[in-house]
Amino acid sequence: MMIEKTFRSHDVPSTDRFDAWRKRLGRHVSPLGSGSDEGEGFRAETRLLRLGGSRVWSTTVDPATIRRTPELVRQSDPGVYTLILPLRGESEVAQGDREAVHGPFDMHVLDSSQPVHLRLLGGPSVYLIGADVPKAGFPLPPSWMDQLLTRRLPGREGVGALLSGFLMQLTDDSQSYRSSDGPRLEAALLELLTALFAHHLDANDSGAPNSARHALVLRIQAFIRQHLRDPQLTPSAIAAAHHISVSYLHRIFQGEGTTVSSWIREQRLANARRDLADPTLRDTPIHVIASRWGFPRAADFSRVFRNAYGIPPRDYRDHARLNPALPASHSVTPAK
């Protein structure tokens, strides 16, 4: 069964319900300031699912206000992007210099590293589904993600409908999934999120001079993810497949603040880490997993893995068997 944590306000004395809900959010999401006019009648039910290093949650809650002040951001930052899918009620959101009001199926994304003010409105209760994904290793660069913060991302059409359907099915039927499904479901979530964000970035920049470059970067990154197991995945092969020079390929990735080789290594390490934590692969030797993801020398893989995540692959696998939530707590940015 999928690892799931549940909070129900009716399990708590009426005088403590709101404070208990606020503390639960702070423990499982990040420190938050919040308020509600409901007093002792406050009602909330929250469910949280872990998918490897990501989380999917759903909550039914009375109208409330949620804040992350600059002080709270400095106190603790989980380093995630949060996608919010309202299904009932409205949300007024402000982050950076942007403000927006979103109704049902108006998805929007927030950055945990920036202060935010969120009001949940509507009665008798608001129903939201959310997804928290680590910023470290996310396919799209921060400068692109900043363009999307608080923007309306329709959840009833196109890629948005695929993503909202996936999230609703996952939260409605979580009992049907096993813990070992978590990493694969996380991969599906990341692909849908990337497709949704890229779609809206392309639409927003369709008249801009760098639109073609943005589209090319996304195509190259998708190509790399599809060929990670290929030992012949080199800058020369990637450049030839996209009819560009190797020097131009390097310049593209320099513009994203990384290198081609570093980006490939990060993706391969992330997949190897996912397989090491997968219970269905517990009998697969570590060197086989390493070789599968482009690390033919076991010693090199162990060194690179430890440099990236602070723990040797064998120890990581042992701890993951005892604690399936380990991938989330060891989401460390791979070394460049």
Side-chain angles (χ1 to χ4, degrees):
M1 185 181 300
M2 188 87 65
I3 297 174
E4 181 174 338
K5 296 182 182 295
T6 303
F7 169 84
R8 298 181 180 89
S9 58
H10 63 252
D11 295 334
V12 179
S14 60
T15 55
D16 300 330
R17 287 175 180 174
F18 181 78
D19 195 46
W21 177 73
R22 179 183 61 80
K23 289 179 179 177
R24 179 62 63 93
L25 287 180
R27 210 162 41 240
H28 293 304
V29 182
S30 57
L32 299 168
S34 51
S36 173
D37 296 330
E38 299 300 319
E40 294 186 5
F42 180 78
R43 297 165 300 172
E45 180 171 333
T46 301
R47 297 167 56 231
L48 185 146
L49 306 172
R50 286 205 177 274
L51 310 180
S54 301
R55 298 179 297 237
V56 171
W57 48 268
S58 63
T59 186
T60 303
V61 62
D62 284 338
T65 299
I66 299 172
R67 297 178 297 275
R68 264 177 67 75
T69 64
E71 292 75 20
L72 290 173
V73 172
R74 288 193 294 269
Q75 177 183 334
S76 176
D77 179 15
V80 299
Y81 293 119
T82 296
L83 179 96
I84 297 177
L85 167 62
L87 294 176
R88 185 171 65 242
E90 291 186 342
S91 61
E92 293 182 356
V93 60
Q95 185 163 64
D97 58 355
R98 301 180 187 174
E99 298 182 5
V101 178
H102 298 294
F105 285 88
D106 290 343
M107 293 186 291
H108 47 288
V109 64
L110 303 173
D111 182 348
S112 69
S113 303
Q114 301 184 32
V116 66
H117 187 278
L118 179 66
R119 291 184 64 204
L120 305 179
L121 307 171
S125 62
V126 180
Y127 179 36
L128 308 171
I129 297 176
D132 302 325
V133 299
K135 294 163 65 175
F138 194 73
L140 302 181
S143 60
W144 293 19
M145 292 299 299
D146 285 346
Q147 300 176 43
L148 294 173
L149 299 181
T150 76
R151 275 182 52 184
R152 175 179 175 268
L153 308 172
R156 297 186 190 270
E157 59 189 51
V159 181
L162 291 175
L163 177 56
S164 60
F166 173 83
L167 292 172
M168 288 189 291
Q169 174 66 24
L170 182 60
T171 53
D172 288 345
D173 195 26
S174 60
Q175 300 299 312
S176 298
Y177 304 103
R178 300 187 298 270
S179 294
S180 59
D181 293 323
R184 291 181 283 271
L185 291 169
E186 180 183 34
L189 171 65
L190 292 174
E191 287 293 335
L192 286 170
L193 284 170
T194 302
L196 176 69
F197 296 157
H199 171 80
H200 286 279
L201 285 165
D202 285 347
N204 189 51
D205 292 340
S206 57
N210 62 351
S211 175
R213 179 183 172 279
H214 285 188
L216 177 60
V217 170
L218 293 175
R219 287 198 301 273
I220 291 173
Q221 290 177 341
F223 176 87
I224 291 173
R225 287 195 295 271
Q226 292 168 4
H227 295 84
L228 284 173
R229 300 188 185 206
D230 185 352
Q232 303 304 315
L233 183 66
T234 62
S236 297
I238 296 167
H242 293 85
H243 310 290
I244 59 176
S245 68
V246 174
S247 60
Y248 184 57
L249 176 68
H250 287 305
R251 287 201 301 274
I252 287 175
F253 276 82
Q254 287 171 1
E256 306 305 318
T258 186
T259 67
V260 183
S261 298
S262 293
W263 204 87
I264 293 173
R265 184 176 67 243
E266 289 176 13
Q267 302 304 308
R268 284 174 165 168
L269 280 170
N271 281 278
R273 184 183 64 161
R274 182 196 66 199
D275 285 357
L276 288 172
D278 189 339
T280 64
L281 299 176
R282 64 172 61 93
D283 295 326
T284 303
I286 291 176
H287 74 270
V288 172
I289 291 175
S291 180
R292 177 184 299 164
W293 293 112
F295 299 97
R297 293 170 55 86
D300 290 344
F301 174 68
S302 181
R303 174 179 52 79
V304 172
F305 190 96
R306 182 166 188 164
N307 287 342
Y309 301 115
I311 185 173
R314 186 175 302 281
D315 292 351
Y316 182 87
R317 169 180 266 184
D318 291 342
H319 284 295
R321 289 177 180 175
L322 299 174
N323 178 14
L326 180 66
S329 62
H330 280 73
S331 293
V332 179
T333 304
K336 294 290 186 284

